[in-house]
Amino acid sequence: MTATTVQPTTLPTTATARERKVVPPIGMGRIVGVELRKMFDTRAGFWMLMSIAILSVLATGAAILFAPDADIDFELFGSAIGVPMSVILPMIAILSVTGEYTQRTGLTTYTMIPRRGRTIAAKGIAAVLVGVVSMFVALGIGALGNILGSAIVGVPTDWNISVTEFSQIVLAQVLGMTIGFMLGVLLRSSAAAIVTYFVYSLVLPGLLMLLAGLQSWFADIQPWVDFNMATSRLFDQTMTGEYWAQLGTSGLIWLVAPLAVGLALVMRSEVK
Amino acid sequence: MITVESLTRKYGGFTAVDDVTFTARPGRVTGFLGPNGAGKSTTMRIMVGLTPATSGSALIDGARFVDLTNPGHEVGVLLDASAQHAGRTGREILTIAQRTMGLPKGRVDEMLDLVSLTPQEAGRRVRNYSLGMRQRLGIAAALIGDPRVLILDEPANGLDPAGIRWMRDLLRDFAQRGGTVLLSSHLLHEIEVIADDIVVIGHGRIVAQGTKAELLAGAGTLVRTPDAEVLGRALAAAGVSCSAVDGGLRTDATPDLVGRVALGAGVPLTELRSGDGAGLEDMFLELTSDTQREGAAA
């Protein structure tokens, strides 16, 4: 087929072109605000947030009901609530990223803000904010449980979580959340990222433990390369300089490197 | 003004967009016409930075889309009305756009009004929307930043005839106020109704472009007569070439000339008219026939 190009002879322009107007730039604070809103403006997102509170209350109730009286202290409630949190927070982080792809809202998001790194950074900030605030909510619920529990069983109320310990727990939860965030950025699919998160957090530790048991060379380096092991120390141990260093090296492998790859992919990939 | 120059996008060995060059001018509605899979959506995605180009450029008033600091104020984009979170309400989707672009709150209601979505409908989740309602919502999101340029991919899809007329009036008004509109469609009829200028794309290449009047005028004459053979000889004698179509002839000559020839040859005519778009339609069907699953339905 030959191209039949008809060149317009005269242009019957009906109007003059509109003036370019002064456009206010989009500040980072605004993007973070919008991303926070997007996390919770659907039913799924809303109940995800609510489940943090609901599961904290349930975990507290279960601790009062089932724990031996002598064990009723703040630490018990802290760890009881920590379990559901360590599952839900990463899910929130994963879905905040993958939703743009699975639900295809990225088409709109990335045309409103073409520099995709800004949106991803805002999502990261929003996720950390949600993680930290959730931990304080959990702390409050745990504190109520501790008062209530000790009163019910008639033991003195024991506040045995120090500020340092609490900060470490918050850090551990946020790091878990960041792993979810990283998987969301890297895989850009809700199902794939969620499955991979559970493989990482539930299957991988067992496998690495097995490997360390069979191969002594791996047992030696495991603390330096196993991020699960390094973060789990934050929950219940006094962190030494070596522990922090191991958290750093393993985090480089499991968090920083894959996040960098994921970010490069997000920048380059086609949004469909 | 949208300026697309030598735009090419390859996927491995497949060239989805092949050296595409065209301009969409302010004050005009430019229709981007092509069969499914011709490269319309890919071209539009490249324009707004969602797909990187292999080579060539697409500029909006001289700037690359990705360099705009707050593009929603300058370019309204609707690529796929269904690409929204099914669990958000229509109002929420517009609110997100309003907040992101830093617009006054009242814009959301103004836009809902403009696209005739009622407050009840706006409060429903998008999963319960018909395609027509999604298109209206998408148009609202594209217009919320009061842009100068509109890029709309298949916006008339799913609209009923009244909806198509509404969109035509809306876009015409937008263009008359100096705006630039580029909209795509795989339906010639839709483009004929809405567009001032037409760019036809097939297999990733531009096959025709010009104003609607020019493209339709270039279509020659259609003449019907019981004595097609006699008229055909008479036209040939007058130096006019023609081709047989169902129950008549088509020629590049004007209806005036064909009428005179027929009169001279004493051939009775049952129909004589300019080809109005028949040429464009033929070209379009030829493009479509290669990809049509029904075979030679064209």
Side-chain angles (χ1 to χ4, degrees), chain A residues 70-78 146 157-163 165-166 169:
Chain A
D71 291 351
I72 297 276
D73 55 22
F74 201 23
E75 196 184 343
L76 168 78
F77 292 103
N146 193 25
T157 312
D158 189 356
W159 299 105
N160 55 348
I161 297 183
S162 68
V163 175
E165 283 168 335
F166 180 67
I169 293 173

Side-chain angles (χ1 to χ4, degrees), chain B residues 2 4 9 14-15 27 31 41 126 134 183 192 208 216 218 220 252 255 281:
Chain B
I2 305 172
V4 177
R9 168 72 204 198
F14 173 67
T15 307
S41 298
V126 168
R134 287 178 200 212
L183 89 163
E192 268 186 295
L216 297 187
D252 290 336
E281 189 167 16

Side-chain angles (χ1 to χ4, degrees), chain A residues 60 64 72-75 77 139-159:
Chain A
T60 305
I64 295 175
I72 297 276
D73 55 22
F74 201 23
E75 196 184 343
F77 292 103
L139 182 77
I141 293 171
L144 282 177
N146 193 25
I147 294 169
L148 207 67
S150 55
I152 289 172
V153 300
V155 296
T157 312
D158 189 356
W159 299 105

Side-chain angles (χ1 to χ4, degrees), chain A residues 6 21 24 30 37 41 270, chain B residues 11 88 92 99-100 209:
Chain A
V6 181
K21 56 183 177 182
R30 204 198 289 162
R37 186 185 176 108
D41 67 356
E270 214 180 342
Chain B
Y11 292 95
R88 288 200 180 108
E92 177 62 20
R99 293 209 167 190
T100 306
Q209 57 179 315

Side-chain angles (χ1 to χ4, degrees), chain A residues 3-4 6 9 11-12 14-16 18 20-21 23-24 26 30 37-38 41 43 104 116 270-272, chain B residues 11 25 27-28 45 49-51 70 73 80 88 92 99-102 145-147 176-177 207 209:
Chain A
T4 51
V6 181
T9 41
L11 264 182
T14 47
T16 48
R18 286 169 67 182
R20 249 189 132 135
K21 56 183 177 182
V23 176
I26 306 175
R30 204 198 289 162
R37 186 185 176 108
K38 281 160 71 178
D41 67 356
R43 256 180 219 154
R104 303 184 58 223
R116 299 177 198 172
E270 214 180 342
V271 182
K272 284 201 160 175
Chain B
Y11 292 95
R25 295 173 182 81
R28 316 271 300 168
R45 274 208 313 275
L50 291 179
T51 294
N70 194 347
H73 288 252
D80 185 343
R88 288 200 180 108
E92 177 62 20
R99 293 209 167 190
T100 306
M101 296 177 198
D146 189 26
Q176 260 157 18
R177 287 184 291 117
V207 291
Q209 57 179 315

Side-chain angles (χ1 to χ4, degrees), chain A residues 43-100:
Chain A
R43 256 180 219 154
F46 174 76
W47 284 108
M48 192 81 97
L49 184 69
M50 287 305 289
S51 66
I52 292 177
I54 294 168
L55 287 173
S56 297
V57 171
L58 286 179
T60 305
I64 295 175
L65 277 179
F66 302 119
D69 293 359
D71 291 351
I72 297 276
D73 55 22
F74 201 23
E75 196 184 343
L76 168 78
F77 292 103
S79 39
I81 292 169
V83 176
M85 295 286 268
S86 68
V87 175
I88 296 168
L89 290 179
M91 295 302 115
I92 291 176
I94 287 174
L95 293 176
S96 80
V97 180
T98 56
E100 300 283 355

